[in-house]
Amino acid sequence: MHSEPPCSMLNCFFCTMNEPEPSVRRAKLSQCFKEMPLRDDQEHVLVLSGLWNISMAQPDDPEFPALGIFECMAKLIHRGIIDQNWLLRGQNIYIPYYAAHIIGSYTMDNPQFAEKAVKSGVILPLMELLRGKMSWVEQRVAVRALGHLASHEKTFEAVVVHEVEVISLAMEIASNCLEVVYKEFVGIKARKRPKYHCDLLTRGVGELELQSRKAEEWASQLQCWSLYLLNCFASKERCLNLICNTEFLHNLCGMWGGLVNLTSPAGIGLLRTLCSSKTGRENVANSRQVMESICNVSRSSDDWQNMAIDCLLLLLKDPETRYGVIDIAASSLVDLVELRSLGESKMVGETISQTLLQDYYKIKFGFLKLKSQEAEKALEELWELRVENIKRDKLMSEQDMKERQVLVGKLKKQGNQKFWTGKIEKACKIYSKALELCPLNFRKERIVLYSNRAQCYLLLKNPAAAISDTTRALCLSGTVSPHSKSLWRRSQAYDMKGLAKESLMDCLMFINSRIKSEHTRRVRIPYYAARMINKQMNATWLFANAKSKLCIKKEKTVDEYESKGEYQLQEMMDAKNMGFPDMPTIVEDAKVEKRWKKR
């Protein structure tokens, strides 16, 4: 057997990790963290790659934070920013990214580690990365780490020292990061992509397709973590006038959050936080575009539907914003009044009804008049549904109920006959009459009638009415097993209105409901649904707007984007005509673990 030759390096990190005596090991590790920023060692990247793995796997282990890892990482980032020659030597280009990622991982859920990190001076180096002193890749981990520090009560004040700049930069990154990532990576030829970005994205083993997919994921994370950082300030009502910039509020409506970041507040989540404050409510209520976007999300299959409903309820409960908002939101909210539960929220429809009708007598009989006749009509319909019809049904005998059920069944058949003979308008009127007569507790019959009438509205090119009826059918059917035909019809209606995201979410839910159904789970996905998904996926692609904007800029020969940093990393690399050796790959990471075990 061949024994491995002894390590000749002084204070070798890998040797130290296998020191059997705990006290000696801790002393050596502490010395390693002190000396690492001062030494020029090509194994630094291997060490940081290993530390990154440990910080991700064991973020609550107090050993490294207690021995000076935060101060070490802060100094490494600082050296990378001020010493360009060192940064471009060997594999040092990867060090600031790993260092910032390690800080963020340890401070994510641990307030004690966050306090130690702040005392170790991590804020200023992270701020330099946030300013764009390197690239969007380092911005991603810097904004993540700052967001975690801002989320803890005791370290929030350390971030507040730079609050105006932090908020301005986070807003700018959230608004522009997709364009930057597309322009600097996704939208350029493979051979021109920065090699160290490719290696970081794929751990050195990925092809072009994986690079693009990971870049899309990281761009989404960069936007989401910027929103999270802003949310930390908004929840404490700091710099709300700056965050409530009209243009930025408009941008928020399009910040979906991405399917890979389900814990992100997304744009709608930040709007929900803003609506918890008086200043935020005033600014949100004053933008019709923002209000209409929130209404669209409130009647969709979006994961953040409940946040959109919360926004509208907060605005309606404030006397200062109520009457401006009710003109816009009443029609959308009335469609949701029979929604029983949504996630952890119970009695959602009842809460909406009470909020909308709290001063209905003043509107109907008093001096209070709304600007929108459509809103007044919606409130009148709500009163009829939730008050008058409930009284009517209570007075009905069991015999009357049976007769009504028979009559409604006959009307539904008549409507179906008119529909299949092409008399769509007459069919629509018959379905409407059946809905007026149908008792409220006949939920199945009402689901079908609403959905059938929605199909009529689709053929009559009235997508707004189709969305209203399908939403009502879906509220009656519930979120556990939604009415699949209504999902598909609402997806079509949203498509007619050009609302690609809402159409896509409904179509995905439609397919999901078919898969779960006993009758259709073995049936292939319908061609028409697959075609709709393909269309909306292209329309909602993360970089769709960035690509179109870049094409317009090229046509107008507008100057290219310039980073705000003191130097632009890509220009430095081009000027020196330098190529970097491969970063630590998955194979090399395995070697790191092997060295720790052997030594």
Side-chain angles (χ1 to χ4, degrees):
M1 293 179 66
H2 297 284
S3 61
E4 188 172 337
C7 181
S8 60
M9 291 180 58
L10 186 65
N11 292 329
C12 174
F13 182 82
F14 303 108
C15 297
T16 302
M17 286 296 293
N18 289 282
E19 171 61 49
E21 180 61 38
S23 60
V24 176
R25 179 175 178 273
R26 285 194 293 270
K28 287 184 176 182
L29 281 173
S30 179
Q31 191 65 26
C32 282
F33 287 142
K34 288 178 182 178
E35 294 181 1
M36 196 182 299
L38 306 175
R39 296 202 320 259
D40 285 340
D41 187 344
Q42 287 307 302
E43 290 214 357
H44 277 355
V45 175
L46 286 172
V47 173
L48 263 70
S49 179
L51 290 171
W52 172 76
N53 280 315
I54 293 171
S55 68
M56 294 285 285
Q58 304 169 31
D60 294 322
D61 189 337
E63 182 178 34
F64 290 166
L67 296 176
I69 193 171
F70 292 126
E71 187 174 356
C72 177
M73 297 302 109
K75 288 180 177 178
L76 286 170
I77 295 171
H78 180 67
R79 185 173 182 182
I81 291 167
I82 65 170
D83 190 345
Q84 300 176 20
N85 292 325
W86 176 83
L87 182 67
L88 298 178
R89 192 180 305 140
Q91 294 185 327
N92 292 345
I93 192 76
Y94 303 105
I95 288 176
Y97 169 85
Y98 276 123
H101 208 306
I102 289 166
I103 294 170
S105 296
Y106 274 119
T107 58
M108 184 186 303
D109 298 314
N110 198 310
Q112 288 78 26
F113 291 174
E115 289 182 62
K116 194 176 290 290
V118 167
K119 290 176 182 177
S120 301
V122 302
I123 297 287
L124 291 179
L126 291 173
M127 285 297 301
E128 291 296 314
L129 295 180
L130 189 69
R131 294 180 185 118
K133 290 296 177 69
M134 288 191 65
S135 73
W136 65 271
V137 169
E138 290 78 19
Q139 271 186 331
R140 167 180 169 269
V141 286
V143 76
R144 170 181 178 259
L146 287 167
H148 296 328
L149 293 172
S151 67
H152 302 299
E153 197 69 35
K154 291 185 178 180
T155 53
F156 176 72
E157 292 303 321
V159 184
V160 166
V161 173
H162 309 276
E163 68 176 333
V164 173
E165 186 179 13
V166 167
I167 288 173
S168 299
L169 287 169
M171 289 169 63
E172 183 181 348
I173 292 169
S175 300
N176 301 324
C177 66
L178 302 183
E179 293 178 42
V180 172
V181 176
Y182 184 81
K183 183 179 182 299
E184 296 186 359
F185 191 87
V186 176
I188 62 178
K189 294 180 180 179
R191 66 177 182 274
K192 292 185 177 181
R193 291 178 173 179
K195 187 177 186 304
Y196 92 102
H197 282 183
C198 297
D199 289 339
L200 282 172
L201 283 161
T202 64
R203 303 293 294 151
V205 295
E207 298 298 332
L208 184 63
E209 183 181 351
L210 179 60
Q211 290 174 14
S212 298
R213 190 166 70 248
K214 291 295 291 184
E216 184 172 352
E217 181 182 330
W218 281 23
S220 174
Q221 290 172 347
L222 176 55
Q223 186 177 68
C224 289
W225 285 332
S226 300
L227 294 174
Y228 179 78
L229 180 55
L230 290 168
N231 201 61
C232 291
F233 283 86
S235 61
K236 297 182 185 298
E237 300 191 18
R238 300 295 296 251
C239 284
L240 289 181
N241 288 326
L242 187 59
I243 298 174
C244 290
N245 173 278
T246 303
E247 183 180 355
F248 181 66
L249 291 179
H250 292 171
N251 292 337
L252 277 181
C253 299
M255 295 181 194
W256 193 358
L259 298 177
V260 295
N261 279 287
L262 296 179
T263 57
S264 164
I268 194 69
L270 182 52
L271 287 170
R272 163 66 177 78
T273 302
L274 292 173
C275 287
S276 299
S277 65
K278 184 176 180 60
T279 301
R281 286 193 294 272
E282 289 174 355
N283 283 275
V284 171
N286 286 335
S287 173
R288 187 175 186 88
Q289 179 181 337
V290 174
M291 289 303 309
E292 289 176 350
S293 296
I294 295 173
C295 288
N296 289 333
V297 177
S298 72
R299 296 188 301 175
S300 72
S301 299
D302 198 304
D303 290 326
W304 289 273
Q305 181 189 7
N306 59 331
M307 287 192 182
I309 294 172
D310 283 347
C311 285
L312 296 175
L313 292 176
L314 287 168
L315 292 165
L316 288 169
K317 289 175 181 177
D318 185 345
E320 299 296 324
T321 56
R322 174 177 174 79
Y323 298 105
V325 168
I326 201 169
D327 283 325
I328 303 170
S331 300
S332 298
L333 285 175
V334 165
D335 295 335
L336 300 167
V337 296
E338 292 189 89
L339 183 62
R340 292 180 176 179
S341 62
L342 188 61
E344 295 181 358
S345 303
K346 306 299 179 184
M347 306 294 291
V348 177
E350 188 64 32
T351 303
I352 293 172
S353 297
Q354 291 175 4
T355 305
L356 286 173
L357 294 175
Q358 69 183 31
D359 50 8
Y360 178 68
Y361 278 106
K362 294 180 183 178
I363 296 172
K364 187 171 184 179
F365 304 111
F367 59 88
L368 186 60
K369 292 295 179 184
L370 301 179
K371 293 180 181 179
S372 168
Q373 291 184 351
E374 185 181 356
E376 287 193 1
K377 183 180 177 182
L379 293 180
E380 186 177 345
E381 184 181 356
L382 174 59
W383 179 267
E384 186 75 19
L385 179 70
R386 302 301 290 170
V387 179
E388 300 297 338
N389 286 1
I390 289 176
K391 290 180 182 178
R392 178 201 67 186
D393 292 352
K394 283 183 178 179
L395 295 174
M396 277 191 191
S397 64
E398 188 175 342
Q399 181 64 31
D400 290 337
M401 282 284 186
K402 289 180 179 179
E403 290 176 0
R404 280 291 177 95
Q405 189 173 19
V406 172
L407 178 57
V408 167
K410 288 181 178 178
L411 288 172
K412 186 180 76 171
K413 287 183 180 178
Q414 291 176 17
N416 292 346
Q417 289 172 354
K418 296 294 182 183
F419 178 87
W420 291 115
T421 56
K423 299 175 182 178
I424 308 301
E425 290 186 4
K426 289 184 177 180
C428 190
K429 290 179 180 178
I430 293 172
Y431 292 139
S432 298
K433 185 177 180 181
L435 281 165
E436 289 176 10
L437 296 172
C438 191
L440 298 181
N441 62 341
F442 290 180
R443 299 178 73 87
K444 290 183 179 179
E445 289 84 350
R446 293 174 66 215
I447 289 170
V448 173
L449 289 169
Y450 275 127
S451 192
N452 286 0
R453 190 170 70 173
Q455 181 63 44
C456 294
Y457 285 135
L458 282 174
L459 295 174
L460 295 171
K461 306 298 182 185
N462 187 351
I467 291 169
S468 176
D469 273 1
T470 48
T471 301
R472 295 182 183 205
L474 289 166
C475 288
L476 287 166
S477 63
T479 55
V480 177
S481 55
H483 189 239
S484 61
K485 287 185 178 179
S486 295
L487 282 168
W488 170 242
R489 287 164 183 168
R490 193 169 69 176
S491 177
Q492 291 177 284
Y494 275 129
D495 179 51
M496 290 172 68
K497 294 194 74 175
L499 297 171
K501 183 180 76 172
E502 287 77 7
S503 176
L504 173 63
M505 297 304 292
D506 278 344
C507 195
L508 290 172
M509 287 293 291
F510 165 66
I511 290 172
N512 187 50
S513 66
R514 285 178 63 90
I515 291 171
K516 289 181 178 180
S517 172
E518 289 290 333
H519 303 292
T520 57
R521 64 182 178 182
R522 289 187 176 86
V523 180
R524 291 182 179 180
I525 295 173
Y527 171 71
Y528 55 83
R531 186 173 57 183
M532 178 72 83
I533 285 179
N534 185 58
K535 175 184 178 180
Q536 306 305 9
M537 286 289 281
N538 289 330
T540 59
W541 181 47
L542 193 67
F543 298 115
N545 289 333
K547 183 179 180 180
S548 63
K549 285 182 180 179
L550 186 61
C551 292
I552 293 171
K553 285 182 180 179
K554 284 182 178 178
E555 290 174 2
K556 294 182 178 180
T557 63
V558 176
D559 291 338
E560 294 185 351
Y561 169 84
E562 293 182 357
S563 132
K564 284 194 170 184
E566 292 179 0
Y567 60 90
Q568 202 166 4
L569 193 60
Q570 187 61 43
E571 290 178 4
M572 289 166 46
M573 292 162 63
D574 292 342
K576 287 183 174 283
N577 195 25
M578 295 185 67
F580 296 102
D582 290 340
M583 67 164 289
T585 64
I586 294 172
V587 176
E588 287 173 328
D589 286 340
K591 287 179 181 178
V592 172
E593 294 177 6
K594 188 176 180 181
R595 285 187 65 179
W596 285 352
K597 290 177 181 178
K598 280 190 175 183
R599 291 186 183 273

